[in-house]
Amino acid sequence: ELKVEQNPLFLSMQEGKNYTIYCNYSTTSDRLYWYRQDPGKSLESLFVLLSNGAVKQEGRLMASLDTKARLSTLHITAAVHDLSATYFCAHSPGGAQKLVFGQGTRLTINP
Amino acid sequence: GAGVSQSPRYKVAKRGQDVALRCDPISGHVSLFWYQQALGQGPEFLTYFQNEAQLDKSGLPSDRFFAERPEGSVSTLKIQRTQQEDSAVYLCASSSQGLEMYFGPGTRLTVT
């Protein structure tokens, strides 16, 4: 069964703190994606990770990929309120074009 | 605009009605995908086109769901005899190189 599991599913944190969202997937994968979704909006692409050990950073967000552990992480540094959103990871299982998504992590950052 | 567009943005249908949802992908994008997103859940794959060919329809939940892309550009997702469990946001996405996937704003379908 193709599964993507994120944790935590809900995260409430204070501005200025650091935290990590974890994404485990069940099968070999060509690509790992991170998306952001604001309430009532569509998905905004954050990162595409292609290879083992890949690390990408944009502002306060950094994503990494460990294909051997089938694990990706999204690290948030010194969180600010406007990072509040739901974050999804997704992977493309073994050569497929489609994406399999996790359940999402709802992140709330409090002043 | 250069992004993926979808119409209508909101659709209310009575149970048993047929609906048609439209997706205009980014110009030149070969690949087109439909996903269904239930409230509070991640998107779930429905179907995939490469140009006009429907290469994967494994995610369509029943034979009431039908998608087409006759000229390899605009796509329509049709749901016949809608049921309450069809209520969801239907997202369309397109890509060119098969790497970066761009999502449209979605159509929120409510079946009453």
Side-chain angles (χ1 to χ4, degrees):
Chain A
E1 182 190 354
L2 302 174
K3 282 180 68 173
V4 178
E5 293 187 341
Q6 291 182 231
N7 84 85
L9 299 184
F10 298 92
L11 177 57
S12 181
M13 53 192 291
Q14 287 185 310
E15 279 191 327
K17 300 290 188 184
N18 304 332
Y19 211 81
T20 301
I21 300 170
Y22 297 88
C23 172
N24 286 91
Y25 53 95
S26 61
T27 62
T28 56
S29 179
D30 292 338
R31 307 180 296 260
L32 192 293
Y33 295 75
W34 284 96
Y35 287 93
R36 168 181 173 147
Q37 188 175 43
D38 291 290
K41 304 289 186 183
S42 191
L43 298 166
E44 174 191 350
S45 178
L46 297 174
F47 302 106
V48 183
L49 303 168
L50 299 178
S51 59
N52 189 42
V55 176
K56 289 193 174 180
Q57 183 163 5
E58 181 72 36
R60 300 174 188 274
L61 300 178
M62 183 174 70
S64 66
L65 179 63
D66 180 343
T67 58
K68 293 178 182 175
R70 296 180 184 166
L71 171 69
S72 180
T73 61
L74 181 67
H75 187 74
I76 302 150
T77 302
V80 293
H81 178 69
D82 63 7
L83 289 179
S84 296
T86 299
Y87 292 84
F88 291 97
C89 67
H91 83 118
S92 62
Q97 292 295 319
K98 68 183 181 185
L99 295 184
V100 178
F101 282 82
Q103 316 97 301
T105 296
R106 186 177 296 181
L107 174 64
T108 304
I109 298 168
N110 304 303
Chain B
V4 178
S5 60
Q6 293 185 244
S7 61
R9 293 292 314 279
Y10 303 91
K11 177 70 179 176
V12 178
K14 291 188 177 175
R15 191 159 56 100
Q17 281 185 331
D18 298 349
V19 298
L21 312 180
R22 177 187 168 109
C23 172
D24 285 81
I26 293 172
S27 178
H29 278 194
V30 167
S31 300
L32 185 145
F33 303 81
W34 284 98
Y35 290 83
Q36 180 190 59
Q37 187 176 21
L39 189 63
Q41 302 294 316
E44 292 195 357
F45 170 78
L46 294 176
T47 188
Y48 157 61
F49 290 86
Q50 188 171 71
N51 295 306
E52 68 277 4
Q54 189 174 20
L55 298 185
D56 186 348
K57 53 182 181 179
S58 62
L60 296 176
S62 78
D63 59 7
R64 296 186 295 105
F65 286 71
F66 172 76
E68 61 183 5
R69 194 186 185 198
E71 296 178 2
S73 178
V74 171
S75 177
T76 304
L77 176 67
K78 297 179 179 177
I79 309 172
Q80 296 177 323
R81 305 180 304 281
T82 52
Q83 304 293 316
Q84 281 196 314
E85 61 263 28
D86 300 336
S87 296
V89 175
Y90 290 85
L91 296 167
C92 176
S94 70
S95 79
S96 60
Q97 305 289 341
L99 188 62
E100 195 66 68
M101 199 174 293
Y102 299 89
F103 282 81
T107 294
R108 182 178 296 275
L109 173 65
T110 303
V111 182
T112 61

